[in-house]
Amino acid sequence: MDRIPSVNLEDFISGDPNRKQKFINEIGKAYEEIGFVALKGHFLDDSLVDNLYGEVKNFFSLPVETKRKYEIEGISGQRGYISFGKESAKGKKEGDLKEFWHFGQYVEDDPERAKEYPENVNVEELPEFNKIGKDTFSMLEKTAKYVLRALALHLDLEETYFDKYIHNGNSILRPIHYPPITSEPENAVRAAAHGDINLITLLMGAQGRGLQVQNHDGEWLDAIAEPDELMINVGDMLSRHTNNKLKSTIHRVVNPPRELWGTSRYSIPFFMHPISEMKLDVLESCIDDENPKQFDDITAGEFLNERLIELGLKK
């Protein structure tokens, strides 16, 4: 495959069985072949997107000492601010050329589950920042729920199979700022080649060049979405659960050409995680003589903990 397929969620929720099946077939095929789609018809409206980008740019424009007061010790970077160069890709010692923020799950109906997650961090200087972040989190979570329903049907599962696992799941909304590059980077890029940890990732801000996806032939393809599209990819948890039937594809964010070094880049991924006790054991329907079981049994919480240590976010 030499390009990222485009699909429209409106087909799935149209009420027309033929359009619904068309979406299931298209997204299933794309995720088996390259692990990425560009999605139209999501639940984000233009005004929410514009407001979010405005608030994100306002936050990252704050003085470094102001931002650093929101970098909370002892929570492995799961909420609040994570400073420049703190995270690195698995197996890479150089830190990525980015700073970012984490909004986490807003648990409102399960006091015990709420205790499992760190509290979200409020930015005093920007009264709208947290409200807009929460609204965006909600709309992306809703979009992800319907994508996973389509994938459940593609996998011959009940349509709502994933619902109970993603309700109050350990999901993360991550506004990222890739600052201007001021000197020749030594082996560092804005985001080194990696696969995502979670079930699926919904990415805002893939309109400009930078994001690249590796196909099965090892070639790097530019992944550029239209302004009304989200880029959505399979994460390692879902790939593992489906015995690699659905592909978690390696991707990266490369440094821009030298003439664009003086510009910032912003992107906002939403990492859809399940609740920690979800078993990622390989689905029986994804095992046969040609595709024997490839992965050991593990829970989502155990898998996440392993990967946070590998990324340098947890000691």
Side-chain angles (χ1 to χ4, degrees), residues 30 70 96 116 119 134 143 155 175 240 285 287 304 315:
Y70 297 112
D96 289 342
E116 186 179 331
E119 290 187 15
K134 183 178 182 180
T143 300
L155 294 165
R240 189 182 186 107
S285 61
I287 301 172
L304 175 61
K315 304 301 182 192

Side-chain angles (χ1 to χ4, degrees), residues 264-299:
S264 285
R265 185 180 193 274
Y266 298 90
S267 69
I268 307 177
F270 175 76
F271 301 109
M272 168 60 84
H273 281 266
I275 53 177
S276 59
E277 61 267 31
M278 179 185 179
K279 292 182 178 180
L280 299 179
D281 306 1
V282 173
L283 292 164
E284 289 295 329
S285 61
C286 296
I287 301 172
D288 57 33
D289 290 343
E290 292 184 6
N291 301 284
K293 182 179 176 182
Q294 297 182 44
F295 303 102
D296 294 334
D297 296 348
I298 196 170
T299 67

Side-chain angles (χ1 to χ4, degrees), residues 133-151:
K134 183 178 182 180
D135 290 345
T136 306
F137 189 105
S138 176
M139 291 299 100
L140 288 168
E141 189 172 49
K142 182 178 179 181
T143 300
K145 178 173 74 173
Y146 284 101
V147 170
L148 286 171
R149 285 183 176 183
L151 294 177

Side-chain angles (χ1 to χ4, degrees), residues 167-282:
H167 178 65
N168 289 330
N170 193 16
S171 297
I172 292 283
L173 177 63
R174 174 189 279 190
I176 304 172
H177 174 221
Y178 302 101
I181 298 171
T182 56
S183 60
E184 187 75 47
E186 290 189 24
N187 299 318
V189 294
R190 283 182 157 175
H194 65 283
D196 291 341
I197 301 170
N198 41 292
L199 290 173
I200 57 175
T201 300
L202 291 72
L203 177 66
M204 304 167 62
Q207 280 76 51
R209 289 186 180 274
L211 177 65
Q212 295 185 329
V213 176
Q214 192 172 44
N215 68 14
H216 294 340
D217 297 322
E219 301 165 331
W220 288 101
L221 311 178
D222 287 324
I224 302 175
E226 296 296 324
D228 62 343
E229 291 178 330
L230 298 172
M231 200 65 74
I232 307 186
N233 63 279
V234 175
D236 290 349
M237 287 185 181
L238 185 58
S239 177
R240 189 182 186 107
H241 198 37
T242 64
N243 206 32
N244 206 32
K245 179 182 176 76
L246 304 182
K247 302 292 190 293
S248 176
T249 305
I250 297 297
H251 52 285
R252 66 187 182 185
V253 179
V254 296
N255 298 333
R258 186 176 287 268
E259 63 267 22
L260 296 177
W261 276 13
T263 59
S264 285
R265 185 180 193 274
Y266 298 90
S267 69
I268 307 177
F270 175 76
F271 301 109
M272 168 60 84
H273 281 266
I275 53 177
S276 59
E277 61 267 31
M278 179 185 179
K279 292 182 178 180
L280 299 179
D281 306 1
V282 173

Side-chain angles (χ1 to χ4, degrees), residues 14-256:
S14 65
D16 179 334
N18 292 326
R19 287 180 65 189
K20 182 175 184 178
Q21 190 61 50
K22 173 177 176 284
F23 180 86
I24 294 166
N25 294 344
E26 288 174 346
I27 199 168
K29 182 174 188 288
Y31 281 171
E32 288 189 20
E33 292 185 355
I34 199 164
F36 268 75
V37 296
L39 182 100
K40 297 181 186 293
H42 50 76
F43 295 104
L44 291 175
D45 62 53
D46 291 344
S47 62
L48 180 57
V49 172
D50 290 346
N51 289 338
L52 179 66
Y53 272 105
E55 289 299 313
V56 165
K57 290 175 181 177
N58 288 341
F59 174 77
F60 288 119
S61 296
L62 292 171
V64 172
E65 59 271 19
T66 303
K67 291 185 287 189
R68 284 233 166 110
K69 74 181 185 181
Y70 297 112
E71 193 159 26
I72 311 301
E73 291 294 321
I75 60 170
S76 305
Q78 291 301 287
R79 300 292 184 273
Y81 178 63
I82 297 86
S83 54
F84 185 79
K86 187 70 69 76
E87 185 181 67
S88 58
K90 179 180 175 181
K92 192 168 172 65
K93 63 180 185 294
E94 294 86 9
D96 289 342
L97 304 178
K98 66 188 181 190
E99 57 179 346
F100 53 99
W101 179 273
H102 276 160
F103 297 102
Q105 183 62 261
Y106 299 86
V107 180
E108 295 171 347
D109 59 357
D110 186 342
E112 288 305 308
R113 180 72 63 193
K115 294 176 187 174
E116 186 179 331
Y117 304 140
E119 290 187 15
N120 277 296
V121 179
N122 285 305
V123 177
E124 300 164 3
E125 292 81 2
L126 300 171
E128 290 297 301
F129 180 79
N130 290 87
K131 177 185 182 303
I132 291 169
K134 183 178 182 180
D135 290 345
T136 306
F137 189 105
S138 176
M139 291 299 100
L140 288 168
E141 189 172 49
K142 182 178 179 181
T143 300
K145 178 173 74 173
Y146 284 101
V147 170
L148 286 171
R149 285 183 176 183
L151 294 177
L153 292 170
H154 177 68
L155 294 165
D156 297 322
L157 301 168
E158 287 288 331
E159 181 172 341
T160 57
Y161 169 82
F162 288 103
D163 284 20
K164 62 182 178 294
Y165 298 123
I166 62 174
H167 178 65
N168 289 330
N170 193 16
S171 297
I172 292 283
L173 177 63
R174 174 189 279 190
I176 304 172
H177 174 221
Y178 302 101
I181 298 171
T182 56
S183 60
E184 187 75 47
E186 290 189 24
N187 299 318
V189 294
R190 283 182 157 175
H194 65 283
D196 291 341
I197 301 170
N198 41 292
L199 290 173
I200 57 175
T201 300
L202 291 72
L203 177 66
M204 304 167 62
Q207 280 76 51
R209 289 186 180 274
L211 177 65
Q212 295 185 329
V213 176
Q214 192 172 44
N215 68 14
H216 294 340
D217 297 322
E219 301 165 331
W220 288 101
L221 311 178
D222 287 324
I224 302 175
E226 296 296 324
D228 62 343
E229 291 178 330
L230 298 172
M231 200 65 74
I232 307 186
N233 63 279
V234 175
D236 290 349
M237 287 185 181
L238 185 58
S239 177
R240 189 182 186 107
H241 198 37
T242 64
N243 206 32
N244 206 32
K245 179 182 176 76
L246 304 182
K247 302 292 190 293
S248 176
T249 305
I250 297 297
H251 52 285
R252 66 187 182 185
V253 179
V254 296
N255 298 333

